[in-house]
Amino acid sequence: MKKILISAVALLLTYQWVPGQTLSYELITNGLDAVTFEIGLAGLTVGDLHGDGSLDIVTIGDHGSPHVNATEAGIMVWANNGDGTNWSFLNEGDFGYGGVALGDLNNDGIVDIGYAMHHNYGTGDFGDQLIETALGNGSGAGWAPYDDGLATDGETYGMFGIDFADVNHDGLLDLASNSFGCCNGFRVYQNNGNGTWSPTFAKDGGNANQWCKFGDFNNDGNPDLIVATDGTQLWSSDGAGHFTALQNGLALGFNIDFDVADVNNDGAADIAVEKSGSAQVYYFDLAANIWKSISTGLPTRGVQGIRLADMDMDGNPEVVLWSSRLISIYHASTDFTWTQIASFAIAETALAGIAIGDFDHDGFNDITYLASAGSGDNQLRVYRHVPDNPQLSLIPIFPKGEEHFLGGSAQFIQWLSSVPATDSATVSIQFSSTGPAGPWTNVVKDAPNSNRYQWIVPTLDSSNCYLRYRIRSSSGSQKVTILRPFSVSTASY
């Protein structure tokens, strides 16, 4: 089964965005000052650690031997009170600083954690190696090491960036991790499903700048990599844990920040890159076998951080830019000219880390970041989209059509939802391999409304696959089916 390649930029799909609608944000600090930070970079992510449908904030730190000039240390979690207006702090361990990723590593339905660090000062198999994973218990604490074999492939300097994907399609999340400085490169490890990990790929040499992220850039069903390293930043996976260069006309260098999402709706992941203060977006033209820029209208100076996320609830990602004292949001037209649709002033001038998620389920993503003002230390901040009478609705984010998956692989289903204030909701997901009329089989029933569900794709061959969601709350229910089919195959293209 071979899909027709989409070589042109696809038209945007619109669910309900109204041109000219206002995106307003309010600063939230309640509970976020429970720990003091030093200055410097830090990975930041969000996810539902408690299984209650609310997104929590996670990072690791510290920047010195434990508790020198700050109280940041180990795994740090800010638990969401349910609407993003107040946060409760949990932490465990004395190690850091670095990057962090979330996913279910042993397929027990509970969110686990991976992190890579510079200061592996921990003891007792917790925080004592440069790359680690640990199993969660649903509390945001009590992490159980699950990391034998990690950081055993010649890592001699601090690691930092980390991300999860099922590289070899066995239903288990594998990981990649990137160093920073010189000259340790990046590593890919296979999850053996029993608490042990095996190295499958390594690239040493040159400078590195913290970050790495998975995404299927050529839509062959295999998770590829973008890595902030000298030489080659784009890497194509063969589906067995090995990677080859996928640079193909794109020169980025190591000193970059980036994010990954399908911007042009061709089913393949695209990249947004901050390079030397400039914001750029690229997609991989499958027919021409080359990266192409779709960056018209984006700023060319002053940018420190860049993310891709649906900020206006239309099902398509916007570009979110962090600059000194300013956050701005850019929306793409059908010809991919970017226009600023929102901006707001902030106090900070130097970014450490940034993440995006809908903390209050009003359907609009919120922004959290670690940053410092001038020469001061980092502060954790949340800017929450101001809710405006949210009504029950759901927008599919991934997959949304044209993607290709390998049967048996683990994938992250993603959505955004709007739920009336003070209400809560659950989400059920069904799968059809025979079109939007079904028949349907259950993926999950009445799951927490956490905007993400880890799914093992059925083993079959079909180019006519759909997902259908049902969101249900005390105020009612709604069913939504993705607008276009995706494909599943039992073998790589």
Side-chain angles (χ1 to χ4, degrees), residues 23 259 263 271-274 278-282 294-299 303 305-312 316-322 327-332 336 338-342 356 367:
L23 299 177
D259 203 6
V263 174
I271 57 174
V273 180
E274 177 276 318
S278 175
Q280 304 166 26
V281 177
Y282 299 93
I294 44 175
S295 308
T296 301
L298 292 175
V303 178
I306 190 167
R307 292 295 180 267
L308 291 169
D310 181 4
M311 304 301 291
D312 54 18
N316 300 295
E318 276 68 50
V319 171
V320 181
L321 302 179
W322 200 102
I327 291 177
S328 53
I329 300 170
Y330 285 77
H331 179 84
F336 285 91
W338 298 88
T339 303
Q340 182 177 294
I341 60 171
I356 293 177
I367 302 168

Side-chain angles (χ1 to χ4, degrees), residues 274-279 298-306 321-328 348-351:
E274 177 276 318
K275 177 183 178 183
S276 302
S278 175
L298 292 175
T300 58
R301 64 180 65 182
V303 178
Q304 295 184 39
I306 190 167
L321 302 179
W322 200 102
S323 306
S324 176
R325 303 191 189 281
L326 183 72
I327 291 177
S328 53
E348 293 75 27
T349 59
L351 178 65

Side-chain angles (χ1 to χ4, degrees), residues 91 195 229 280 329 487:
N91 86 295
T229 57
Q280 304 166 26
I329 300 170
S487 63

Side-chain angles (χ1 to χ4, degrees), residues 247-250 283-292:
Q247 210 71 12
N248 297 42
L250 193 58
Y283 77 100
F284 190 72
D285 188 320
L286 297 171
N289 199 37
I290 194 170
W291 290 93
K292 292 185 177 180

Side-chain angles (χ1 to χ4, degrees), residues 191-489:
N191 181 357
N192 297 320
N194 58 3
T196 69
W197 300 75
S198 301
T200 66
F201 187 79
K203 179 66 171 64
D204 281 321
N207 287 308
N209 189 39
Q210 290 89 29
W211 314 114
C212 67
K213 200 165 188 65
F214 283 108
D216 185 2
F217 305 130
N218 54 8
N219 208 15
D220 65 354
N222 297 318
D224 308 313
L225 263 174
I226 178 171
V227 186
T229 57
D230 265 334
T232 301
Q233 296 82 45
L234 283 304
W235 296 84
S236 176
S237 171
D238 66 354
H242 304 99
F243 292 78
T244 56
L246 189 66
Q247 210 71 12
N248 297 42
L250 193 58
L252 297 176
F254 77 94
N255 194 17
I256 53 175
D257 184 35
F258 47 79
D259 203 6
V260 173
D262 183 4
V263 174
N264 64 353
N265 288 304
D266 65 354
D270 309 309
I271 57 174
V273 180
E274 177 276 318
K275 177 183 178 183
S276 302
S278 175
Q280 304 166 26
V281 177
Y282 299 93
Y283 77 100
F284 190 72
D285 188 320
L286 297 171
N289 199 37
I290 194 170
W291 290 93
K292 292 185 177 180
S293 175
I294 44 175
S295 308
T296 301
L298 292 175
T300 58
R301 64 180 65 182
V303 178
Q304 295 184 39
I306 190 167
R307 292 295 180 267
L308 291 169
D310 181 4
M311 304 301 291
D312 54 18
M313 207 179 179
D314 70 342
N316 300 295
E318 276 68 50
V319 171
V320 181
L321 302 179
W322 200 102
S323 306
S324 176
R325 303 191 189 281
L326 183 72
I327 291 177
S328 53
I329 300 170
Y330 285 77
H331 179 84
S333 65
T334 55
D335 65 353
F336 285 91
T337 297
W338 298 88
T339 303
Q340 182 177 294
I341 60 171
S343 67
F344 56 91
I346 57 176
E348 293 75 27
T349 59
L351 178 65
I354 183 172
I356 293 177
D358 182 5
F359 296 132
D360 58 357
H361 289 304
D362 71 339
F364 292 85
N365 272 313
D366 310 303
I367 302 168
T368 182
Y369 63 82
L370 268 169
S372 64
S375 59
D377 294 332
N378 287 333
Q379 303 289 327
L380 181 61
R381 295 287 182 255
V382 166
Y383 276 89
R384 189 180 79 142
H385 174 267
V386 178
D388 183 17
N389 190 31
Q391 303 299 304
L392 191 67
S393 62
L394 184 145
I395 299 289
I397 299 297
F398 182 85
K400 55 183 178 179
E402 304 300 336
E403 298 88 355
H404 177 63
F405 301 132
L406 270 293
S409 65
Q411 301 288 339
F412 292 114
I413 297 173
Q414 300 173 60
W415 66 93
L416 276 175
S417 65
S418 172
V419 181
T422 73
D423 203 351
S424 61
T426 60
V427 172
S428 299
I429 307 172
Q430 294 180 309
F431 169 77
S432 168
S433 62
T434 56
W440 299 92
T441 59
N442 287 332
V443 172
V444 64
K445 187 175 181 180
D446 294 326
N449 184 27
S450 58
N451 294 354
R452 190 168 89 157
Y453 180 79
Q454 189 172 316
W455 175 45
I456 298 180
V457 179
T459 301
L460 50 82
D461 289 283
S462 173
S463 60
N464 199 23
C465 298
Y466 284 80
L467 290 182
R468 183 172 70 178
Y469 301 77
R470 184 195 65 193
I471 185 168
R472 181 165 59 183
S473 76
S474 62
S475 64
S477 67
Q478 182 186 96
K479 287 185 178 181
V480 177
T481 303
I482 66 171
L483 299 180
R484 296 175 298 159
F486 60 91
S487 63
V488 176
S489 69

Side-chain angles (χ1 to χ4, degrees), residues 157-180:
Y157 190 66
M159 304 301 288
F160 201 99
I162 188 169
D163 199 17
F164 290 138
D166 186 358
V167 171
N168 59 347
H169 313 296
D170 64 352
L172 297 168
L173 293 178
D174 310 304
L175 70 80
S177 181
N178 193 37
S179 181
F180 65 100

